[in-house]
PDB file of all heavy atoms in Angstrom:
ATOM      1  N   GLY A 410     -74.196   1.464 -27.660  1.00 77.00           N
ATOM      2  CA  GLY A 410     -74.182   1.074 -29.061  1.00 77.00           C
ATOM      3  C   GLY A 410     -73.315  -0.113 -29.355  1.00 77.00           C
ATOM      4  O   GLY A 410     -73.793  -1.149 -29.831  1.00 77.00           O
ATOM      5  N   GLU A 411     -72.008  -0.037 -29.018  1.00 78.00           N
ATOM      6  CA  GLU A 411     -71.066  -1.088 -29.400  1.00 78.00           C
ATOM      7  C   GLU A 411     -70.862  -2.161 -28.345  1.00 78.00           C
ATOM      8  O   GLU A 411     -71.178  -3.316 -28.546  1.00 78.00           O
ATOM      9  CB  GLU A 411     -69.702  -0.445 -29.738  1.00 78.00           C
ATOM     10  CG  GLU A 411     -69.794   0.792 -30.596  1.00 78.00           C
ATOM     11  CD  GLU A 411     -68.773   1.825 -30.180  1.00 78.00           C
ATOM     12  OE1 GLU A 411     -67.653   1.440 -29.830  1.00 78.00           O
ATOM     13  OE2 GLU A 411     -69.118   3.026 -30.214  1.00 78.00           O
ATOM     14  N   THR A 412     -70.302  -1.764 -27.210  1.00 81.00           N
ATOM     15  CA  THR A 412     -70.006  -2.746 -26.170  1.00 81.00           C
ATOM     16  C   THR A 412     -70.790  -2.382 -24.921  1.00 81.00           C
ATOM     17  O   THR A 412     -70.271  -1.711 -24.039  1.00 81.00           O
ATOM     18  CB  THR A 412     -68.498  -2.792 -25.839  1.00 81.00           C
ATOM     19  OG1 THR A 412     -68.041  -1.409 -25.770  1.00 81.00           O
ATOM     20  CG2 THR A 412     -67.685  -3.536 -26.850  1.00 81.00           C
ATOM     21  N   PRO A 413     -72.069  -2.785 -24.873  1.00 89.00           N
ATOM     22  CA  PRO A 413     -72.912  -2.359 -23.746  1.00 89.00           C
ATOM     23  C   PRO A 413     -72.358  -2.812 -22.398  1.00 89.00           C
ATOM     24  O   PRO A 413     -71.756  -3.872 -22.299  1.00 89.00           O
ATOM     25  CB  PRO A 413     -74.240  -3.077 -24.040  1.00 89.00           C
ATOM     26  CG  PRO A 413     -74.157  -3.622 -25.399  1.00 89.00           C
ATOM     27  CD  PRO A 413     -72.722  -3.743 -25.763  1.00 89.00           C
ATOM     28  N   VAL A 414     -72.585  -1.955 -21.417  1.00 94.00           N
ATOM     29  CA  VAL A 414     -72.180  -2.273 -20.051  1.00 94.00           C
ATOM     30  C   VAL A 414     -73.256  -3.173 -19.453  1.00 94.00           C
ATOM     31  O   VAL A 414     -74.435  -2.862 -19.507  1.00 94.00           O
ATOM     32  CB  VAL A 414     -72.004  -0.981 -19.234  1.00 94.00           C
ATOM     33  CG1 VAL A 414     -71.706  -1.299 -17.760  1.00 94.00           C
ATOM     34  CG2 VAL A 414     -70.906  -0.116 -19.818  1.00 94.00           C
ATOM     35  N   LYS A 415     -72.829  -4.318 -18.899  1.00 95.00           N
ATOM     36  CA  LYS A 415     -73.803  -5.286 -18.361  1.00 95.00           C
ATOM     37  C   LYS A 415     -74.075  -5.017 -16.897  1.00 95.00           C
ATOM     38  O   LYS A 415     -75.164  -5.241 -16.397  1.00 95.00           O
ATOM     39  CB  LYS A 415     -73.245  -6.715 -18.494  1.00 95.00           C
ATOM     40  CG  LYS A 415     -73.203  -7.211 -19.920  1.00 95.00           C
ATOM     41  CD  LYS A 415     -73.006  -8.736 -19.897  1.00 95.00           C
ATOM     42  CE  LYS A 415     -72.233  -9.213 -21.109  1.00 95.00           C
ATOM     43  NZ  LYS A 415     -70.867  -9.637 -20.782  1.00 95.00           N
ATOM     44  N   GLU A 416     -73.050  -4.547 -16.188  1.00 96.00           N
ATOM     45  CA  GLU A 416     -73.239  -4.344 -14.732  1.00 96.00           C
ATOM     46  C   GLU A 416     -72.480  -3.122 -14.251  1.00 96.00           C
ATOM     47  O   GLU A 416     -71.356  -2.872 -14.674  1.00 96.00           O
ATOM     48  CB  GLU A 416     -72.749  -5.590 -13.985  1.00 96.00           C
ATOM     49  CG  GLU A 416     -72.935  -5.470 -12.469  1.00 96.00           C
ATOM     50  CD  GLU A 416     -72.465  -6.699 -11.682  1.00 96.00           C
ATOM     51  OE1 GLU A 416     -72.057  -7.701 -12.298  1.00 96.00           O
ATOM     52  OE2 GLU A 416     -72.494  -6.608 -10.432  1.00 96.00           O
ATOM     53  N   VAL A 417     -73.125  -2.374 -13.371  1.00 97.00           N
ATOM     54  CA  VAL A 417     -72.458  -1.266 -12.682  1.00 97.00           C
ATOM     55  C   VAL A 417     -72.449  -1.631 -11.183  1.00 97.00           C
ATOM     56  O   VAL A 417     -73.512  -1.820 -10.595  1.00 97.00           O
ATOM     57  CB  VAL A 417     -73.164   0.082 -12.907  1.00 97.00           C
ATOM     58  CG1 VAL A 417     -72.515   1.161 -12.040  1.00 97.00           C
ATOM     59  CG2 VAL A 417     -73.142   0.487 -14.361  1.00 97.00           C
ATOM     60  N   ILE A 418     -71.263  -1.791 -10.619  1.00 96.00           N
ATOM     61  CA  ILE A 418     -71.162  -2.119  -9.205  1.00 96.00           C
ATOM     62  C   ILE A 418     -70.878  -0.821  -8.458  1.00 96.00           C
ATOM     63  O   ILE A 418     -69.859  -0.155  -8.716  1.00 96.00           O
ATOM     64  CB  ILE A 418     -69.963  -3.082  -8.948  1.00 96.00           C
ATOM     65  CG1 ILE A 418     -70.075  -4.315  -9.837  1.00 96.00           C
ATOM     66  CG2 ILE A 418     -69.867  -3.463  -7.475  1.00 96.00           C
ATOM     67  CD1 ILE A 418     -68.787  -5.163  -9.888  1.00 96.00           C
ATOM     68  N   ILE A 419     -71.768  -0.435  -7.577  1.00 95.00           N
ATOM     69  CA  ILE A 419     -71.555   0.812  -6.860  1.00 95.00           C
ATOM     70  C   ILE A 419     -70.807   0.505  -5.570  1.00 95.00           C
ATOM     71  O   ILE A 419     -71.304  -0.178  -4.676  1.00 95.00           O
ATOM     72  CB  ILE A 419     -72.878   1.568  -6.602  1.00 95.00           C
ATOM     73  CG1 ILE A 419     -73.612   1.747  -7.951  1.00 95.00           C
ATOM     74  CG2 ILE A 419     -72.599   2.929  -5.947  1.00 95.00           C
ATOM     75  CD1 ILE A 419     -74.965   2.406  -7.830  1.00 95.00           C
ATOM     76  N   ALA A 420     -69.555   0.983  -5.499  1.00 93.00           N
ATOM     77  CA  ALA A 420     -68.690   0.661  -4.375  1.00 93.00           C
ATOM     78  C   ALA A 420     -68.290   1.900  -3.568  1.00 93.00           C
ATOM     79  O   ALA A 420     -67.168   2.016  -3.101  1.00 93.00           O
ATOM     80  CB  ALA A 420     -67.454  -0.095  -4.873  1.00 93.00           C
ATOM     81  N   THR A 421     -69.230   2.817  -3.427  1.00 92.00           N
ATOM     82  CA  THR A 421     -68.960   3.972  -2.567  1.00 92.00           C
ATOM     83  C   THR A 421     -68.959   3.465  -1.130  1.00 92.00           C
ATOM     84  O   THR A 421     -69.499   2.408  -0.845  1.00 92.00           O
ATOM     85  CB  THR A 421     -70.031   5.063  -2.745  1.00 92.00           C
ATOM     86  OG1 THR A 421     -71.323   4.456  -2.631  1.00 92.00           O
ATOM     87  CG2 THR A 421     -69.932   5.746  -4.092  1.00 92.00           C
ATOM     88  N   SER A 422     -68.368   4.206  -0.192  1.00 87.00           N
ATOM     89  CA  SER A 422     -68.241   3.734   1.183  1.00 87.00           C
ATOM     90  C   SER A 422     -69.604   3.677   1.874  1.00 87.00           C
ATOM     91  O   SER A 422     -70.580   4.221   1.369  1.00 87.00           O
ATOM     92  CB  SER A 422     -67.298   4.645   1.958  1.00 87.00           C
ATOM     93  OG  SER A 422     -67.854   5.953   1.990  1.00 87.00           O
ATOM     94  N   SER A 423     -69.657   3.025   3.045  1.00 84.00           N
ATOM     95  CA  SER A 423     -70.949   2.922   3.737  1.00 84.00           C
ATOM     96  C   SER A 423     -71.170   4.063   4.718  1.00 84.00           C
ATOM     97  O   SER A 423     -71.902   3.918   5.696  1.00 84.00           O
ATOM     98  CB  SER A 423     -71.089   1.542   4.404  1.00 84.00           C
ATOM     99  OG  SER A 423     -69.855   1.037   4.787  1.00 84.00           O
ATOM    100  N   THR A 424     -70.604   5.209   4.445  1.00 85.00           N
ATOM    101  CA  THR A 424     -70.918   6.416   5.238  1.00 85.00           C
ATOM    102  C   THR A 424     -72.292   6.915   4.750  1.00 85.00           C
ATOM    103  O   THR A 424     -72.790   6.459   3.720  1.00 85.00           O
ATOM    104  CB  THR A 424     -69.891   7.526   4.970  1.00 85.00           C
ATOM    105  OG1 THR A 424     -69.855   7.769   3.558  1.00 85.00           O
ATOM    106  CG2 THR A 424     -68.505   7.135   5.427  1.00 85.00           C
ATOM    107  N   VAL A 425     -72.866   7.865   5.461  1.00 87.00           N
ATOM    108  CA  VAL A 425     -74.165   8.415   5.052  1.00 87.00           C
ATOM    109  C   VAL A 425     -74.044   8.980   3.648  1.00 87.00           C
ATOM    110  O   VAL A 425     -74.894   8.721   2.772  1.00 87.00           O
ATOM    111  CB  VAL A 425     -74.602   9.535   6.044  1.00 87.00           C
ATOM    112  CG1 VAL A 425     -75.917  10.157   5.557  1.00 87.00           C
ATOM    113  CG2 VAL A 425     -74.778   8.979   7.433  1.00 87.00           C
ATOM    114  N   GLU A 426     -72.970   9.720   3.369  1.00 91.00           N
ATOM    115  CA  GLU A 426     -72.762  10.328   2.037  1.00 91.00           C
ATOM    116  C   GLU A 426     -72.574   9.241   0.980  1.00 91.00           C
ATOM    117  O   GLU A 426     -73.129   9.348  -0.105  1.00 91.00           O
ATOM    118  CB  GLU A 426     -71.522  11.238   2.028  1.00 91.00           C
ATOM    119  CG  GLU A 426     -71.661  12.521   2.814  1.00 91.00           C
ATOM    120  CD  GLU A 426     -71.344  12.359   4.284  1.00 91.00           C
ATOM    121  OE1 GLU A 426     -71.002  11.225   4.699  1.00 91.00           O
ATOM    122  OE2 GLU A 426     -71.445  13.353   5.018  1.00 91.00           O
ATOM    123  N   GLY A 427     -71.796   8.203   1.317  1.00 91.00           N
ATOM    124  CA  GLY A 427     -71.543   7.114   0.381  1.00 91.00           C
ATOM    125  C   GLY A 427     -72.831   6.390   0.019  1.00 91.00           C
ATOM    126  O   GLY A 427     -73.071   6.088  -1.148  1.00 91.00           O
ATOM    127  N   GLU A 428     -73.666   6.135   1.036  1.00 90.00           N
ATOM    128  CA  GLU A 428     -74.945   5.431   0.799  1.00 90.00           C
ATOM    129  C   GLU A 428     -75.883   6.284  -0.044  1.00 90.00           C
ATOM    130  O   GLU A 428     -76.506   5.788  -0.977  1.00 90.00           O
ATOM    131  CB  GLU A 428     -75.626   5.069   2.129  1.00 90.00           C
ATOM    132  CG  GLU A 428     -74.949   3.972   2.915  1.00 90.00           C
ATOM    133  CD  GLU A 428     -74.914   2.602   2.214  1.00 90.00           C
ATOM    134  OE1 GLU A 428     -75.593   2.416   1.190  1.00 90.00           O
ATOM    135  OE2 GLU A 428     -74.176   1.735   2.706  1.00 90.00           O
ATOM    136  N   SER A 429     -76.006   7.558   0.301  1.00 91.00           N
ATOM    137  CA  SER A 429     -76.971   8.357  -0.463  1.00 91.00           C
ATOM    138  C   SER A 429     -76.454   8.613  -1.878  1.00 91.00           C
ATOM    139  O   SER A 429     -77.252   8.698  -2.823  1.00 91.00           O
ATOM    140  CB  SER A 429     -77.345   9.659   0.262  1.00 91.00           C
ATOM    141  OG  SER A 429     -76.182  10.383   0.592  1.00 91.00           O
ATOM    142  N   THR A 430     -75.142   8.707  -2.038  1.00 94.00           N
ATOM    143  CA  THR A 430     -74.581   8.839  -3.396  1.00 94.00           C
ATOM    144  C   THR A 430     -74.907   7.582  -4.215  1.00 94.00           C
ATOM    145  O   THR A 430     -75.285   7.666  -5.381  1.00 94.00           O
ATOM    146  CB  THR A 430     -73.054   9.074  -3.340  1.00 94.00           C
ATOM    147  OG1 THR A 430     -72.796  10.220  -2.556  1.00 94.00           O
ATOM    148  CG2 THR A 430     -72.474   9.288  -4.732  1.00 94.00           C
ATOM    149  N   ALA A 431     -74.802   6.407  -3.579  1.00 94.00           N
ATOM    150  CA  ALA A 431     -75.088   5.146  -4.254  1.00 94.00           C
ATOM    151  C   ALA A 431     -76.540   5.113  -4.733  1.00 94.00           C
ATOM    152  O   ALA A 431     -76.806   4.748  -5.883  1.00 94.00           O
ATOM    153  CB  ALA A 431     -74.829   3.969  -3.306  1.00 94.00           C
ATOM    154  N   MET A 432     -77.459   5.528  -3.858  1.00 93.00           N
ATOM    155  CA  MET A 432     -78.878   5.525  -4.217  1.00 93.00           C
ATOM    156  C   MET A 432     -79.147   6.508  -5.370  1.00 93.00           C
ATOM    157  O   MET A 432     -79.901   6.222  -6.289  1.00 93.00           O
ATOM    158  CB  MET A 432     -79.746   5.943  -3.011  1.00 93.00           C
ATOM    159  CG  MET A 432     -79.746   4.919  -1.877  1.00 93.00           C
ATOM    160  SD  MET A 432     -80.210   3.274  -2.473  1.00 93.00           S
ATOM    161  CE  MET A 432     -78.868   2.299  -1.831  1.00 93.00           C
ATOM    162  N   TYR A 433     -78.500   7.659  -5.301  1.00 95.00           N
ATOM    163  CA  TYR A 433     -78.671   8.692  -6.321  1.00 95.00           C
ATOM    164  C   TYR A 433     -78.185   8.158  -7.693  1.00 95.00           C
ATOM    165  O   TYR A 433     -78.862   8.314  -8.706  1.00 95.00           O
ATOM    166  CB  TYR A 433     -77.886   9.938  -5.924  1.00 95.00           C
ATOM    167  CG  TYR A 433     -78.115  11.122  -6.839  1.00 95.00           C
ATOM    168  CD1 TYR A 433     -79.215  11.955  -6.648  1.00 95.00           C
ATOM    169  CD2 TYR A 433     -77.244  11.391  -7.877  1.00 95.00           C
ATOM    170  CE1 TYR A 433     -79.451  13.032  -7.486  1.00 95.00           C
ATOM    171  CE2 TYR A 433     -77.460  12.463  -8.745  1.00 95.00           C
ATOM    172  CZ  TYR A 433     -78.565  13.286  -8.530  1.00 95.00           C
ATOM    173  OH  TYR A 433     -78.784  14.340  -9.360  1.00 95.00           O
ATOM    174  N   ILE A 434     -77.017   7.518  -7.676  1.00 96.00           N
ATOM    175  CA  ILE A 434     -76.461   6.982  -8.938  1.00 96.00           C
ATOM    176  C   ILE A 434     -77.376   5.907  -9.520  1.00 96.00           C
ATOM    177  O   ILE A 434     -77.659   5.888 -10.701  1.00 96.00           O
ATOM    178  CB  ILE A 434     -75.034   6.408  -8.700  1.00 96.00           C
ATOM    179  CG1 ILE A 434     -74.077   7.532  -8.292  1.00 96.00           C
ATOM    180  CG2 ILE A 434     -74.518   5.702  -9.950  1.00 96.00           C
ATOM    181  CD1 ILE A 434     -72.716   7.029  -7.865  1.00 96.00           C
ATOM    182  N   ALA A 435     -77.871   5.012  -8.624  1.00 95.00           N
ATOM    183  CA  ALA A 435     -78.754   3.922  -9.086  1.00 95.00           C
ATOM    184  C   ALA A 435     -79.983   4.526  -9.770  1.00 95.00           C
ATOM    185  O   ALA A 435     -80.397   4.057 -10.824  1.00 95.00           O
ATOM    186  CB  ALA A 435     -79.164   3.041  -7.900  1.00 95.00           C
ATOM    187  N   ARG A 436     -80.521   5.595  -9.161  1.00 95.00           N
ATOM    188  CA  ARG A 436     -81.718   6.218  -9.729  1.00 95.00           C
ATOM    189  C   ARG A 436     -81.412   6.818 -11.112  1.00 95.00           C
ATOM    190  O   ARG A 436     -82.171   6.636 -12.053  1.00 95.00           O
ATOM    191  CB  ARG A 436     -82.211   7.295  -8.769  1.00 95.00           C
ATOM    192  CG  ARG A 436     -83.703   7.548  -8.886  1.00 95.00           C
ATOM    193  CD  ARG A 436     -84.268   8.309  -7.703  1.00 95.00           C
ATOM    194  NE  ARG A 436     -83.656   9.619  -7.536  1.00 95.00           N
ATOM    195  CZ  ARG A 436     -83.214  10.102  -6.377  1.00 95.00           C
ATOM    196  NH1 ARG A 436     -83.301   9.364  -5.284  1.00 95.00           N
ATOM    197  NH2 ARG A 436     -82.693  11.290  -6.297  1.00 95.00           N
ATOM    198  N   LEU A 437     -80.283   7.501 -11.208  1.00 95.00           N
ATOM    199  CA  LEU A 437     -79.882   8.117 -12.490  1.00 95.00           C
ATOM    200  C   LEU A 437     -79.722   7.067 -13.578  1.00 95.00           C
ATOM    201  O   LEU A 437     -80.144   7.251 -14.721  1.00 95.00           O
ATOM    202  CB  LEU A 437     -78.571   8.878 -12.342  1.00 95.00           C
ATOM    203  CG  LEU A 437     -78.591  10.298 -11.791  1.00 95.00           C
ATOM    204  CD1 LEU A 437     -77.213  10.909 -11.957  1.00 95.00           C
ATOM    205  CD2 LEU A 437     -79.628  11.156 -12.487  1.00 95.00           C
ATOM    206  N   ILE A 438     -79.064   5.955 -13.226  1.00 95.00           N
ATOM    207  CA  ILE A 438     -78.817   4.905 -14.221  1.00 95.00           C
ATOM    208  C   ILE A 438     -80.147   4.314 -14.709  1.00 95.00           C
ATOM    209  O   ILE A 438     -80.344   4.094 -15.893  1.00 95.00           O
ATOM    210  CB  ILE A 438     -77.880   3.791 -13.675  1.00 95.00           C
ATOM    211  CG1 ILE A 438     -76.510   4.375 -13.335  1.00 95.00           C
ATOM    212  CG2 ILE A 438     -77.719   2.662 -14.703  1.00 95.00           C
ATOM    213  CD1 ILE A 438     -75.545   3.405 -12.685  1.00 95.00           C
ATOM    214  N   ARG A 439     -81.064   4.083 -13.743  1.00 94.00           N
ATOM    215  CA  ARG A 439     -82.367   3.521 -14.126  1.00 94.00           C
ATOM    216  C   ARG A 439     -83.091   4.439 -15.112  1.00 94.00           C
ATOM    217  O   ARG A 439     -83.770   3.963 -16.020  1.00 94.00           O
ATOM    218  CB  ARG A 439     -83.234   3.306 -12.889  1.00 94.00           C
ATOM    219  CG  ARG A 439     -82.974   1.961 -12.263  1.00 94.00           C
ATOM    220  CD  ARG A 439     -83.966   1.598 -11.184  1.00 94.00           C
ATOM    221  NE  ARG A 439     -83.278   0.877 -10.134  1.00 94.00           N
ATOM    222  CZ  ARG A 439     -82.974   1.379  -8.945  1.00 94.00           C
ATOM    223  NH1 ARG A 439     -83.317   2.599  -8.636  1.00 94.00           N
ATOM    224  NH2 ARG A 439     -82.307   0.641  -8.081  1.00 94.00           N
ATOM    225  N   MET A 440     -82.903   5.732 -14.936  1.00 93.00           N
ATOM    226  CA  MET A 440     -83.565   6.686 -15.830  1.00 93.00           C
ATOM    227  C   MET A 440     -83.063   6.575 -17.272  1.00 93.00           C
ATOM    228  O   MET A 440     -83.742   7.015 -18.203  1.00 93.00           O
ATOM    229  CB  MET A 440     -83.404   8.114 -15.301  1.00 93.00           C
ATOM    230  CG  MET A 440     -84.479   8.459 -14.263  1.00 93.00           C
ATOM    231  SD  MET A 440     -84.056   9.811 -13.152  1.00 93.00           S
ATOM    232  CE  MET A 440     -83.598  11.086 -14.275  1.00 93.00           C
ATOM    233  N   LEU A 441     -81.869   6.015 -17.451  1.00 91.00           N
ATOM    234  CA  LEU A 441     -81.335   5.853 -18.805  1.00 91.00           C
ATOM    235  C   LEU A 441     -82.057   4.736 -19.567  1.00 91.00           C
ATOM    236  O   LEU A 441     -81.945   4.620 -20.783  1.00 91.00           O
ATOM    237  CB  LEU A 441     -79.839   5.534 -18.776  1.00 91.00           C
ATOM    238  CG  LEU A 441     -78.879   6.603 -18.243  1.00 91.00           C
ATOM    239  CD1 LEU A 441     -77.455   6.053 -18.227  1.00 91.00           C
ATOM    240  CD2 LEU A 441     -78.934   7.873 -19.078  1.00 91.00           C
ATOM    241  N   GLU A 442     -82.755   3.880 -18.817  1.00 90.00           N
ATOM    242  CA  GLU A 442     -83.498   2.757 -19.374  1.00 90.00           C
ATOM    243  C   GLU A 442     -82.621   1.858 -20.249  1.00 90.00           C
ATOM    244  O   GLU A 442     -82.989   1.510 -21.362  1.00 90.00           O
ATOM    245  CB  GLU A 442     -84.740   3.242 -20.128  1.00 90.00           C
ATOM    246  CG  GLU A 442     -85.735   3.911 -19.186  1.00 90.00           C
ATOM    247  CD  GLU A 442     -87.037   4.315 -19.840  1.00 90.00           C
ATOM    248  OE1 GLU A 442     -87.045   4.477 -21.084  1.00 90.00           O
ATOM    249  OE2 GLU A 442     -88.038   4.453 -19.133  1.00 90.00           O
ATOM    250  N   LEU A 443     -81.470   1.519 -19.720  1.00 91.00           N
ATOM    251  CA  LEU A 443     -80.557   0.603 -20.415  1.00 91.00           C
ATOM    252  C   LEU A 443     -80.611  -0.748 -19.697  1.00 91.00           C
ATOM    253  O   LEU A 443     -80.923  -0.791 -18.502  1.00 91.00           O
ATOM    254  CB  LEU A 443     -79.131   1.146 -20.359  1.00 91.00           C
ATOM    255  CG  LEU A 443     -78.823   2.446 -21.099  1.00 91.00           C
ATOM    256  CD1 LEU A 443     -77.440   2.952 -20.709  1.00 91.00           C
ATOM    257  CD2 LEU A 443     -78.908   2.247 -22.610  1.00 91.00           C
TER     258      LEU A 443
END
Side-chain angles (χ1 to χ4, degrees):
E411 315 142 38
T412 43
V414 175
K415 290 195 210 108
E416 181 179 356
V417 175
I418 306 166
I419 307 177
T421 50
S422 62
S423 29
T424 55
V425 176
E426 290 85 0
E428 289 296 349
S429 54
T430 303
M432 292 307 128
Y433 187 84
I434 295 173
R436 206 164 61 227
L437 278 189
I438 297 175
R439 273 190 216 106
M440 275 159 52
L441 295 177
E442 296 185 338
L443 294 169

